[in-house]
Amino acid sequence: MDSAHRLGKYRVEREVLDEQRLEEVTLRKAHSDTHIPQKCTVPQLKRRVLSILPILYWLPKYSVWDYGMPDLISGISVGIIHLPQAIHLLPQVWLMHSEQMIIMTINNNIHLLLCSGTFTVLSIMVGSVTERLAPDLYFLKVNETNITAEVDTVARDSYRVQVAAATTVLGGLIQVVLGLVKFGFVGTYLSEPLVRAYTTAAAAHAVVAQLKYIFGVSPTRFSGPLSLVYTLRDVCSLLPQTHLPTLLVSAVSMVFLVAAKELNSFLSPKLPVPIPVELITIVAVTLISNYAHLNSNYTISVVGEIPCGLSPPEVPDVTIFGEVIGDAFALAIVGYAISISLGKTFALKHGYKVDSNQELVALGLSNVVGGFFQCYSVCPSMSRSLVQETTGGKTQMAGVASALIVFVTILKLGPLFQELPKAVLAVIVFVNLKGMFKQYTDVVTLWRRNKIDLVVWLVTWVSTLLLNLDLGLAASITFALLTVIFRTQMPTYSVLGNVPGTELYLDIETHREAREIPGVTIFRSSATVYFANAELYLEALKEKSGLDISKMIIYKRRQEAKQKRRERRAKRRAKRQAKREKRAQRSTKQLSAAPAFSMEEEPGWMDTCIDDEEQVWTERENGTVFVIPTSPSAADGPCRWEYLKGGDPDCSSLGWLSELQDGDTTTLGSSSEDTLSRDLERVSLGSLGKWTWDIHSIILDLSTANFIDTVAIKTMKNIFHDFSEIDVDIYMAGCQASVVEQLELGDFFSESITKRRLFTTVHDAVLYCLNHRGSWWIVGLCMSGFRVRPSSSSSGCCDTSC
C-alpha cells in the first residue's frame, strides 16, 4: 500500500515539528531579533504608585452627588454601633481604632470598605497573650488596712496594654512584610463555596453573641473549640431568667426594623437615598430611654459612660517582641484570613476584584500605626460591614465617616449616647445578618451543580461552627486542598481519536465523530502527572492501551526460552538424523556386497518422521501472534499465512495452548481449520482483552501537565523502557516549556530517549508515527481478525481480506 495514500487524510501542509526541531527554529529566530532593554516609563511608574495607594485612583473620581449622602448616613449608623465597645477600652485606644479605619481607607482597594475594628476572635487571642504575660499573680500588693493581698489593677492594666500594643505592632509588621513578598496568593485557596460557608457560620457566631443582649441574660464566657455550643447551651439554660423589659425592647425594635427595611426596599427605586432606618432607630430609642429612665426604672442594660480624652503616642516595648512573636504571627494570619474572606464575599456580590497583597499591606499598616497608640489588632467585622452595606454605603468614604463619628463622639458627644440600650444594637446586628442567612440556599444549588463543592461548603460550615473562626478556617482550607489533591490523584484518563479533516483529537468515548488512528494510541490524563498519581497513570495506560506490559514481557521471555529449547532440540534431532543417514549409508554398502534379492520397501518412514517434526515446529511458533502455515490444496498453489490471536500466559486457557504446542500432534491433525480457529479465539478472549501487537506507537498527550516531579520522570522512563521491549514506540506531545526544562534537569533524555520523541502537538506526533511505522497498521489489522496473504507483486506488499 502506498505511504502517501495511507497518510492522506492526516496530512497537513506544514513541517512536522518535534522538540529538537522546534528548538532549532526558535534559536534562529532569537538570533535574528534584536534585544531592546525595557525602561521604566511614566505610565508604569503611575500604575505602581496607584497600586500602593489606591486612594489616589478612586478619590479624584468620587462623586459627592451620587455617593456622598449614602456614605454619610451609613458611616453615622456604623459609628454609633461602634460606641458600646468603647466602654471596654481606654478612650485613647478606641479613638485610635478610628484612625486605623482611616488608614485602611487610604491603603485598601476594596470598593465597599469593610468596617474594621475590634473582632471577637482577635480580642480573645490578644486577651490570652496579655493574661499569659501579665497574670494577676505578678501584681499583688498588701492592703495595710486588713493585711490582705490585692491586685494592683492600675499597674496590671497598664502593662497589659503595653503587651497588647507590642503584639499588635509586631503582627502589623509581619502583615506588611507578607504583603510586600506577595504572600497574599494564599487568598486564592479561598474558593467561593468556602468563603460563603465561612461567612454563613460566622453569622451564626454573631447571632449567638447577641442573644445575651436580646434576652437580658449573662451567660458564662467561653473560648476555644465548641465555645459556640457551650454558649448556646448556657443561654438556653438561662432563658427562664429572661429579663422581660429587655426582651420587650428587643422585640419592638426588631419589628420596627424589619418593617422599615421592607418598606425601604419597596420604595428604594423612588427615593434618592435609602431611609437611615438604623440611625432613626438609635436616635429614637436613645431619646425614649433617656426620658423614660429605662435603666433606673426597669434595669435595662445601656451603653453607660463613654469616657473622653486622648493620650500621646508611645513606642512599644521591643523587649516583649521575642515573647509574643508566635502570637503575633497567628494574629497576622487570622486577621488577614478573616479580612480576605469577607472582602471576597462583598467582591462577588458587587462585582469587583480584591488585591490580596494590598489588603495585607493595608491591614498591617493600620495595626502598626494603631500599636503606637496602645491599640490592639483589628480586622474587618462582618456584622458592622453588613450594617454599612445595608444602610446604603457605596464606597470607602463610609468608613471615613464612621471614623469621624467615633472621633467626635469620644471627644465631645459621648454622654449623648450613654442611655442607648444594648439590646437595640444587638437587634440591629441581628436584622442585618439576614443576607448571610440566605446563603443556606447554597446547599440546594451545590447539590444540583457540584457535589464536591457541596462537601467543601458543609465541612467549612461545620468546622467553623464547632472550632471557632480561626481553627475552623484552617481546617476548611486544609480540607479544600485535600479535595484538590484527591481530584488530581484520580483524574480522568482517555484515549483520543482524530476528527476527520481536522487536527483535533478528542476522547473517542465521548465524541462519536473521533476516529482512532490505526496502530497509534493517544493517551491523555486530565491532570498533571506527579508522585501521587504516577502509579495510577501507568496502570491506566495499560488498561486503555490494552497492553499489560508485565504479563507481555513475562510471556515474551517465556516464549524466548521455549524458542531456545526448540533450537537445542532441533540441533539434537539434526545430529541424530545425520547419524541415521551415516548408518543407512553403511548398511546400503553392506547390502550391496551381500547377495541380491527382490523385495518392495515400505516408503516414507523416514520422511514421515521428518514431516511430523516439521509439523510440530510449525505449530510451536512463538509470540502472542501464532503463525500457522496452511498447506495449499494444489501442489503448485501459493502458500497462505494466517495471523491469529494468542492468549493469556497466566490463565488456564494458556495451559491448554501450551499443551497444544508441545504435546500430542494428533490433536491438530484430527481437527479442521475451523475448529482450530475457534479454539484459538476462545483463548484470545481471556483476561487480557485486546492484548495483541496491533499497536506500534503510543503518544502521551502531556498538554495538561504544568509540572513534573522526579517520581513522574522515573515513571516515564519505565514506560519508554518497558514498551520498547515489545517493540512499541513511545512519544510525548504538548509538553510545556517548563515541563521540558524539568525533564532535562531530571536526566530524562539519553541516547535511547532523545528530544526527537517530543512533539509540539499531537498531530505532529501522529504524522511522524504514520510516516515511520505506518506499515505496521496492516499487521494490526491482521491481528484484529484479518488474514494476510503474500502478494505476488514485486513490491512485496500484502493484500488484505476479511
Side-chain angles (χ1 to χ4, degrees), residues 438-598:
K438 292 181 179 179
Q439 294 183 158
Y440 283 103
T441 58
D442 292 351
V443 175
V444 178
T445 303
L446 294 176
W447 173 264
R448 297 172 181 172
R449 295 180 180 178
N450 193 310
K451 300 296 191 299
I452 295 180
D453 285 344
L454 174 61
V455 174
V456 171
W457 197 100
L458 293 175
V459 170
T460 301
W461 183 76
V462 172
S463 60
T464 306
L465 284 180
L466 300 182
L467 303 178
N468 278 349
L469 299 181
D470 47 358
L471 296 179
L473 181 62
S476 304
I477 295 176
T478 302
F479 181 79
L481 293 178
L482 287 177
T483 61
V484 176
I485 294 174
F486 290 148
R487 279 190 272 190
T488 57
Q489 190 175 1
M490 295 178 290
T492 302
Y493 299 102
S494 56
V495 174
L496 307 184
N498 177 257
V499 178
T502 69
E503 296 185 17
L504 298 177
Y505 290 85
L506 306 175
D507 187 357
I508 60 176
E509 295 181 0
T510 58
H511 298 80
R512 296 182 179 179
E513 65 274 16
R515 298 290 180 267
E516 193 170 1
I517 308 299
V520 179
T521 295
I522 306 169
F523 180 73
R524 182 177 65 187
S525 169
S526 61
T528 189
V529 186
Y530 67 113
F531 69 92
N533 62 8
E535 189 67 26
L536 298 175
Y537 184 88
L538 178 58
E539 296 298 327
L541 176 59
K542 293 178 182 179
E543 179 183 354
K544 291 292 184 179
S545 64
L547 301 176
D548 194 328
I549 301 299
S550 57
K551 291 184 178 181
M552 294 180 72
I553 292 176
I554 291 173
Y555 185 54
K556 177 183 176 182
R557 292 171 180 172
R558 191 177 297 173
Q559 294 299 320
E560 289 176 350
K562 289 184 178 180
Q563 178 70 16
K564 291 179 181 180
R565 290 196 297 269
R566 295 186 190 111
E567 290 177 356
R568 289 195 297 268
R569 288 197 295 267
K571 290 180 181 180
R572 290 195 295 269
R573 293 191 192 101
K575 291 180 180 180
R576 289 195 295 269
Q577 182 63 24
K579 291 179 180 180
R580 293 192 193 101
E581 290 178 356
K582 289 181 180 180
R583 289 198 296 269
Q585 291 176 0
R586 287 197 297 269
S587 300
T588 303
K589 291 179 181 179
Q590 293 175 359
L591 291 174
S592 61
F597 58 90
S598 176

Side-chain angles (χ1 to χ4, degrees), residues 306-327:
I306 302 178
C308 302
L310 179 63
S311 63
E314 295 181 6
V315 178
D317 187 357
V318 294
T319 59
I320 306 177
F321 282 0
E323 300 179 70
V324 299
I325 185 170
D327 303 282

Side-chain angles (χ1 to χ4, degrees), residues 172-226:
L173 291 174
I174 292 174
Q175 287 173 329
V176 172
V177 172
L178 293 178
L180 294 177
V181 299
K182 308 298 182 183
F183 182 77
F185 75 91
V186 298
T188 58
Y189 296 111
L190 301 176
S191 63
E192 182 180 353
L194 187 149
V195 169
R196 290 177 68 87
Y198 182 76
T199 53
T200 304
H205 279 275
V207 167
V208 173
Q210 306 305 321
L211 291 179
K212 62 181 180 180
Y213 301 113
I214 293 176
F215 292 100
V217 294
S218 300
T220 306
R221 183 179 179 181
F222 297 96
S223 61
L226 300 179

Side-chain angles (χ1 to χ4, degrees), residues 363-385:
L363 194 61
L365 287 177
S366 65
N367 283 326
V368 169
V369 175
F372 281 91
F373 291 88
Q374 290 79 50
C375 291
Y376 64 79
S377 295
V378 298
C379 72
S381 167
M382 185 185 64
S383 58
R384 293 191 295 269
S385 298

Side-chain angles (χ1 to χ4, degrees), residues 710 713 738-749:
T710 55
I713 291 175
S738 58
V739 175
V740 176
E741 182 179 356
Q742 290 167 1
L743 290 174
E744 292 175 342
L745 295 176
D747 295 330
F748 175 76
F749 299 104

